[in-house]
Amino acid sequence: MAKKNSNILAIAIMFFLFMMISFVTGLQNPFGIIVKQQFDTTNFMSQLGNAANFIAYAFMGLPAGFILSKKGYKFTALSAVAVGFIGVCITFLSGRTGNFVIYLLGAFISGFSMCMLNTVVNPMLNTLGNGGKRGNQLIQFGGSLNSLTATICPVFVGYLIGDISKDTSIADANPALFIAMGVFAAAFIIIFLSSIPEPELDEAKNEKEETSTLDNICGALSYKHFVFGIIAIFLYVGVEVGIPNFANLYMTSSSAGISATVAGTIVGMYWFLMLCGRLAGGAFGGKISSRQMITFVGSLAIIFLLLGIFLGDSKTVLFPAITSELKFSLKAIPIGVMFFILCGLCTSVMWGAIFNLAVEGLGKYTSVASGLFMIMVCGGGLLPLLQGKVADISGYLPSYWVVVVAVLYIVWFALIGSKPTKTLK
C-alpha cells in the first residue's frame, strides 16, 4: 500500500512538472508581442527569446540525460526546478531594467530548465506505469495537462497586456512571472520532501557500461531512418511553435488591430485543439499506425495552411474569444487565422508518431536516441527565426510557406523516409 501511495504522489509530481514545462515555454509566445513593442524590434528579433528558450535544448539535451543516469530522477528534477526559478527571476529583472539582453538570458536559462524537466517526466511516467500501455497512458495524460496549461498561458498573459501601446512592457506580465516563481518554489519543496522511485539508478549501480556514449550515438546515427526522423522532429517543433506565434503577431499588428487579450484567446484555442487531438490520438492510437496518422494529419495541415495563406484577410469570421472584461464574445478575425488555428488538431499527435517511427529497430540505441531527439527540440527556436525573417521581408501570410515546406518533409518522412534502414554494418 505504501508503495502504491508513493507512486501516486510521484505521478502527481510528474503531472505537475508537465504543466510547468508548457507554462514557462508558453510565456515566450505573448512575450514576443511585448518585446516587439517595448524594444521596437523586427519580427525576426521578436522571436529571439523563443529561440533562446529552445536553443538551450541543443546544449542541454545530452548533459541532462547524463545527469539523470548518474544522479537519478529526484536530483535532476530538483536541479531543473532551481534553474527554472533562476530563469524566471532573470526575466522579471529584465522587465525592471528594460534590458533586451537580460530578457534573452532569462529565456535561455529557462530553456535549460525545460529541457531537464522534459528529460525527467517522460521516462519517469513510463517507469511508474511499468511501461507498455499503462506507461503510454500516463504520458498521454501528462501531455494533455501540458496542452491545458499551454492553452491558459497566452490567454492569461494576453489579459495582463490588454491593448498594445507604446507603454507595453515585460513588467505588465509580472503576475504571470510571480506565479511561475511561486510554483517553482513550491515544486522544489514538495519534490525535496517526497520519495521518488529510482529504478534506473539502482540498476546502473549493478551494471558495467559496455559501450561508450560516443559509440551509442554513432550506432543510433547509423540508421538512416532515424537521421531522417530527427530532422522531422526538428522541423515539427518549429511548426508547432511557429503557427501560433505568428498568428499572434499577425492579429496584434496594426493592420489587423486585434487586442492582445482577444489574440491570446485565439492562440489559446490552438493549444486547446492540440489537447483535443492528443486525447483523440490516445484513444485511437492503438488502431491506427503512426505512418497513417502522420500522413493524414500532415496532409490536412497542408490544406489548412494553404487555405490560410491564400484566403488571408479576404474576409472575416466570428470566433469565440475572451474580452478584456473577461467576458466570452464572438470576435471578427481574418479567415486565414482560423485555418492556422485549426492546425492545432494536426500538430497534436505528430511528436509521438514521429518518435515511434524514428526509433523503430534501434534496440539498445533507443535511450541515446531519446537524448538526440531532445537536442533537436531546438528547431522550435530556429525555424520561427526563419519564419520571422520571411515575415519582415514579405509579410505574415507569406511567412507560412516556411511551415508548409516543413510539413511536406514530415509527410515525406512518414511515407518514405521512415522505412527502417541501416547505413552501416
Side-chain angles (χ1 to χ4, degrees):
M1 180 63 73
K3 184 178 185 298
K4 182 177 180 181
N5 290 336
S6 175
N7 280 354
I8 291 174
L9 178 60
I11 290 171
I13 292 171
M14 293 304 115
F15 282 171
F16 185 67
L17 294 179
F18 235 134
M19 297 173 72
M20 282 306 300
I21 291 170
S22 63
F23 185 82
V24 176
T25 303
L27 287 175
Q28 303 310 320
N29 183 316
F31 273 23
I33 300 172
I34 295 174
V35 299
K36 189 175 189 296
Q37 182 64 40
Q38 182 176 359
F39 301 108
D40 192 25
T41 68
T42 61
N43 290 301
F44 175 85
M45 291 186 66
S46 75
Q47 295 302 300
L48 286 177
N50 177 73
N53 193 266
F54 279 99
I55 289 173
Y57 281 76
F59 291 90
M60 201 63 197
L62 287 178
F66 297 152
I67 294 172
L68 180 62
S69 63
K70 298 294 184 183
K71 298 292 187 178
Y73 289 115
K74 185 171 183 176
F75 179 89
T76 308
L78 286 172
S79 301
V81 169
V83 171
F85 183 86
I86 294 170
V88 174
C89 286
I90 292 175
T91 301
F92 168 74
L93 182 61
S94 72
R96 294 294 299 270
T97 61
N99 189 296
F100 186 65
V101 175
I102 294 178
Y103 160 68
L104 294 180
L105 178 62
F108 187 65
I109 292 176
S110 295
F112 279 151
S113 173
M114 298 308 101
C115 179
M116 294 172 73
L117 288 177
N118 262 309
T119 305
V120 170
V121 295
N122 287 286
M124 184 63 185
L125 283 175
N126 189 57
T127 298
L128 291 170
N130 296 316
K133 293 180 180 179
R134 173 63 174 164
N136 179 59
Q137 184 181 43
L138 289 178
I139 293 175
Q140 291 295 338
F141 280 133
S144 299
L145 290 172
N146 183 278
S147 296
L148 179 61
T149 47
T151 301
I152 295 170
C153 185
V155 178
F156 178 50
V157 179
Y159 169 73
L160 295 175
I161 299 171
D163 294 326
I164 297 295
S165 70
K166 61 182 180 63
D167 298 320
T168 299
S169 70
I170 294 173
D172 293 330
N174 277 350
L177 297 177
F178 292 150
I179 289 173
M181 290 180 202
V183 169
F184 274 132
F188 187 93
I189 295 171
I190 293 170
I191 295 171
F192 181 79
L193 296 175
S194 301
S195 175
I196 295 178
E198 301 282 3
E200 279 82 1
L201 192 59
D202 294 336
E203 183 179 341
K205 292 178 181 178
N206 301 318
E207 292 183 359
K208 285 187 175 180
E209 190 176 355
E210 297 180 358
T211 56
S212 70
T213 301
L214 181 60
D215 288 338
N216 284 330
I217 292 174
C218 292
L221 294 176
S222 69
Y223 290 83
K224 190 160 58 175
H225 72 285
F226 173 69
V227 175
F228 291 146
I230 59 176
I231 295 173
I233 215 69
F234 174 90
L235 295 174
Y236 159 71
V237 183
V239 167
E240 179 195 286
V241 173
I243 290 174
N245 277 15
F246 283 87
N248 211 346
L249 286 169
Y250 176 39
M251 286 187 286
T252 54
S253 64
S254 56
S255 59
I258 297 174
S259 73
T261 304
V262 173
T265 304
I266 306 302
V267 170
M269 285 297 297
Y270 170 88
W271 298 106
F272 178 73
L273 290 174
M274 281 195 69
L275 167 61
C276 297
R278 282 173 174 170
L279 291 174
F284 296 103
K287 303 176 182 178
I288 304 173
S289 71
S290 296
R291 183 170 287 106
Q292 292 172 323
M293 190 177 289
I294 295 179
T295 302
F296 174 74
V297 298
S299 301
L300 185 60
I302 291 171
I303 293 172
F304 285 154
L305 288 166
L306 292 177
L307 287 171
I309 292 170
F310 288 114
L311 294 179
D313 57 0
S314 60
K315 62 181 294 187
T316 60
V317 293
L318 294 177
F319 206 87
I322 299 176
T323 66
S324 56
E325 293 81 24
L326 294 181
K327 295 180 179 178
F328 280 99
S329 176
L330 292 176
K331 293 291 184 180
I333 65 170
I335 188 171
V337 171
M338 180 188 73
F339 285 111
F340 295 147
I341 297 303
L342 287 175
C343 288
L345 285 170
C346 306
T347 56
S348 60
V349 296
M350 286 185 178
W351 171 280
I354 292 173
F355 182 87
N356 182 265
L357 291 174
V359 301
E360 185 177 347
L362 262 63
K364 66 179 181 179
Y365 301 120
T366 302
S367 296
V368 73
S370 298
L372 292 172
F373 257 79
M374 201 54 62
I375 291 174
M376 299 307 281
V377 170
C378 69
L382 297 179
L383 200 68
L385 281 181
L386 175 60
Q387 191 176 353
K389 193 63 179 177
V390 175
D392 287 329
I393 297 172
S394 305
Y396 291 110
L397 294 175
S399 77
Y400 277 91
W401 283 110
V402 174
V403 181
V404 171
V405 172
V407 178
L408 281 170
Y409 176 88
I410 292 171
V411 173
W412 172 85
F413 168 71
L415 292 173
I416 300 172
S418 61
K419 296 177 181 177
T421 328
K422 204 169 188 291
T423 57
L424 299 175
K425 291 186 178 180

